[in-house]
Amino acid sequence: MASPKVSAALQKIATYEERGLGYEALLSQIQFTSNPAQLPRDLIAILDAIFADSLGIVATRSLAGLFVASLKTLKANEAKIEVGEHALGIFQSQAASYEEQNAHVRELMADAYEEDEDNLEAAKVLAGIPLDSSQRKVSNEDKVKFWIRITRNYLEVDDTTLAEQYLNKAKNLIYTVSDRDLNLHFKLCQARIQDARRNFLAAAQGYQDISFLPVIAEEERLHTLSMAIKCAVLAPAGPARSRALGRLYKDERAATLGEYGILEKMFLDRLLTPEEVAKFAEGLAEHQLAKTSDGSTVLAKAVVEHNLRGASRLYNNIGFDALGLLLGLDGDKAEETTARMIEQGRLVGRIDQVERIIWFEAREASGEKGSGRAEGVVGKELRRWDSNVQGLAEEVEKVTSELQLRYPDFVAANLTV
C-alpha cells in the first residue's frame, strides 16, 4: 500500500487534464516525497496507476523510462528485486512495446542478485532480455557482453551446460568485437568450461595463453598460470600432456609457484609420493576432486597413470603384482590400467598374461589409438642382436679399410684370401 502522501498525489493527478505531466512530476520527486522504507511500495503504486490510466503508448513508454530511473535510486537490493519483478509482470502484457524498459529493469535486478551472490537468479533474469528484435537495436558487442555475463553467472553455480550454451552464442560473434576486456572474459570463460568438463589439456592451454596477456595484473597472470599447471597435472598421461607440461616447465614464472614441485617431477617422469599428491590436492577446486565412474578421483587417476609412465622409464619389464605395489593398486588393476594406456597409444609396451609380466619399450608413444602395442619380446631381442652384429661388422670393415690405406703391403701379405 502506498504512503499517504503518494496516495493523495495520485488522487490529485486523476483530476488533471494533462495527467502525464502529473505522473512525470511525481516520479521526478519521489525520492524526496517517500522515505526509503516506503519507496518500493510507492513506486509500485505509481506504476500501477500509470498503466491503469489511458495515456497512450508514447506517453506511457516515456513514464516507464522515468520509473526505471527512479528504480535505480533504491538502495536495498531486496527492494530493487521486489519492484523489478512487479514491473516485469506489467511490461509482459505489452512486451513488444516496452522492450527497452524491460531490459533496463532486468539489468538492475541482475546487479542486485549479483551483489547478493545469487548468481543463478542473476543469470535467469538476464536470459530474459530480448536481443534479437525489430523493436530494439542491439549491437554485436552488447550481445556478446550479455551472453558472457550470463555465462559467468552460470559458471559461479557450476552449471556448465547452460554456461556453454551462452558461450557458444558469443563464440559466433566474438570475432566482430574489438573490446579487449570482453575478449579476455570470453577466453577465461572458455578455459573455465573446459576445466569443468575435464578437458584439462585444452583448459591448461587456455589458462596459459591468458597468463601472457599484459592487460591483466601480474597477480592475476600468475593465478591463471597456476590454474594451467593444475589442469596439466590432472590431464591423462601421454604425449599430449608431456608437451603441455614441457611448455609450462619452460615458463620461467612457474618456478615461483607452489605447484612447481609436482610440475617438475611430472615433466621429468619421476614417481610421485602420496604426501606430494595430498599437498597438491589441497589447492584444487571441488570439481577437480570429483570422483570418476570407477570410484577414483580425477587426481588419483592422473597420478596412477603418471607413475605408470615413470615406471616404464625405470624398468624393462615388471610383474603385475610388483607394478601394483608401486602404483598403490592390486595386480589386476595395474594390468587393466596398463592395457588401457597401451591401447590408447599413451604407453608403448606388451603384456604377457601367462607369465603376468609387462614389457616396456623405451620409445615415446605417439598418442594414436593402437600404436602402443609392442611386438613380442623375442622378436625385439632378435632385432637388437641383429643390430649389434651389423654394427660390429661395420666397425671391422672400417678397421680393414684403414689398414689397407696405411699398410698396404702388410694387408697384401696377411689378409689376402
Side-chain angles (χ1 to χ4, degrees):
M1 185 176 178
S3 64
K5 284 185 179 180
V6 170
S7 296
L10 290 174
Q11 290 176 0
K12 189 175 182 181
I13 290 172
T15 64
Y16 291 176
E17 185 174 345
E18 291 291 335
R19 293 188 299 278
L21 294 176
Y23 287 123
E24 184 177 335
L26 180 58
L27 282 171
S28 63
Q29 296 294 320
I30 190 63
Q31 57 182 317
F32 306 109
T33 305
S34 299
N35 61 59
Q38 192 66 36
L39 185 56
R41 289 190 291 274
D42 286 344
L43 283 173
I44 289 174
I46 295 171
L47 186 66
D48 288 342
I50 291 171
F51 275 81
D53 222 333
S54 301
L55 301 175
I57 186 64
V58 176
T60 304
R61 188 183 293 151
S62 175
L63 291 171
L66 288 174
F67 165 81
V68 173
S70 299
L71 182 59
K72 292 180 182 179
T73 65
L74 291 177
K75 302 297 183 184
N77 290 330
E78 186 179 347
K80 281 184 182 177
I81 293 168
E82 178 190 352
V83 178
E85 285 179 346
H86 186 83
L88 291 180
I90 291 179
F91 294 154
Q92 189 62 38
S93 60
Q94 303 178 57
S97 301
Y98 299 98
E99 286 186 355
E100 191 74 32
Q101 292 77 13
N102 174 70
H104 289 318
V105 169
R106 287 180 178 275
E107 284 186 73
L108 290 172
M109 291 176 65
D111 292 338
Y113 279 127
E114 287 173 350
E115 286 181 14
D116 289 343
E117 297 184 356
D118 191 348
N119 298 97
L120 181 59
E121 290 302 321
K124 287 180 179 179
V125 77
L126 285 170
I129 297 176
L131 298 179
D132 296 301
S133 170
S134 58
Q135 304 295 323
R136 180 169 175 260
K137 180 71 173 176
V138 183
S139 66
N140 286 349
E141 186 170 313
D142 286 335
K143 288 180 182 179
V144 171
K145 188 183 297 181
F146 277 116
W147 287 329
I148 288 179
R149 187 178 178 185
I150 294 170
T151 298
R152 294 175 69 185
N153 276 296
Y154 276 126
L155 284 173
E156 289 300 317
V157 293
D158 294 325
D159 191 337
T160 54
T161 302
L162 288 174
E164 190 169 23
Q165 286 182 16
Y166 284 97
L167 190 70
N168 286 338
K169 291 182 179 183
K171 188 184 295 183
N172 295 327
L173 294 178
I174 191 65
Y175 68 93
T176 66
V177 176
S178 58
D179 186 281
R180 64 182 187 181
D181 289 336
L182 267 183
N183 277 275
L184 171 61
H185 288 306
F186 174 81
K187 291 176 182 177
L188 187 57
C189 287
Q190 199 169 40
R192 288 181 64 185
I193 288 174
Q194 290 164 337
D195 182 359
R197 290 199 171 279
R198 299 180 189 172
N199 186 3
F200 291 120
L201 285 176
Q205 181 67 65
Y207 282 132
Q208 189 178 19
D209 290 344
I210 294 170
S211 75
F212 289 122
L213 297 177
V215 297
I216 57 177
E218 177 66 20
E219 183 180 348
E220 289 299 317
R221 290 203 294 269
L222 290 176
H223 174 70
T224 53
L225 181 61
S226 172
M227 292 299 298
I229 294 174
K230 290 174 182 176
C231 288
V233 168
L234 292 170
R241 191 191 70 161
S242 295
R243 290 192 290 270
L245 291 171
R247 288 193 300 269
L248 291 164
Y249 183 70
K250 293 172 185 175
D251 192 321
E252 295 178 354
R253 300 170 299 167
T256 64
L257 301 175
E259 296 81 10
Y260 181 73
I262 198 168
L263 169 65
E264 183 177 40
K265 277 203 163 187
M266 281 201 157
F267 174 67
L268 299 175
D269 285 326
R270 295 172 182 168
L271 299 180
L272 296 172
T273 65
E275 293 75 19
E276 290 171 320
V277 176
K279 183 179 179 182
F280 176 74
E282 293 174 0
L284 296 181
E286 185 177 346
H287 72 272
Q288 294 172 329
L289 292 171
K291 292 187 180 295
T292 59
S293 56
D294 61 2
S296 63
T297 64
V298 176
L299 175 60
K301 190 173 181 180
V303 170
V304 165
E305 292 183 350
H306 165 75
N307 282 345
L308 179 52
R309 275 178 58 89
S312 73
R313 301 289 193 265
L314 296 173
Y315 299 94
N316 287 326
N317 59 76
I318 189 172
F320 291 178
D321 295 328
L323 180 60
L325 186 63
L326 193 65
L327 301 178
L329 307 171
D330 59 49
D332 292 338
K333 189 67 175 178
E335 178 204 2
E336 180 186 332
T337 303
T338 306
R340 183 178 65 251
M341 291 185 67
I342 290 174
E343 179 62 27
Q344 293 173 351
R346 296 189 285 132
L347 187 70
V348 182
R350 173 180 173 273
I351 298 177
D352 186 337
Q353 291 182 313
V354 176
E355 298 294 334
R356 291 180 62 82
I357 292 177
I358 299 170
W359 296 83
F360 298 115
E361 281 199 11
R363 63 188 175 92
E364 185 64 54
S366 67
E368 296 181 6
K369 189 174 181 179
S371 63
R373 299 174 188 169
E375 294 183 21
V377 65
V378 174
K380 182 177 73 173
E381 294 297 334
L382 283 175
R383 288 199 311 275
R384 186 180 297 173
W385 177 264
D386 290 344
S387 177
N388 290 340
V389 170
Q390 181 181 350
L392 178 61
E394 289 174 353
E395 291 299 322
V396 171
E397 179 66 24
K398 287 179 183 178
V399 171
T400 304
S401 299
E402 190 68 22
L403 285 172
Q404 286 178 331
L405 288 173
R406 296 192 179 189
Y407 309 103
D409 294 336
F410 173 80
V411 172
N414 294 280
L415 300 181
T416 302
V417 177

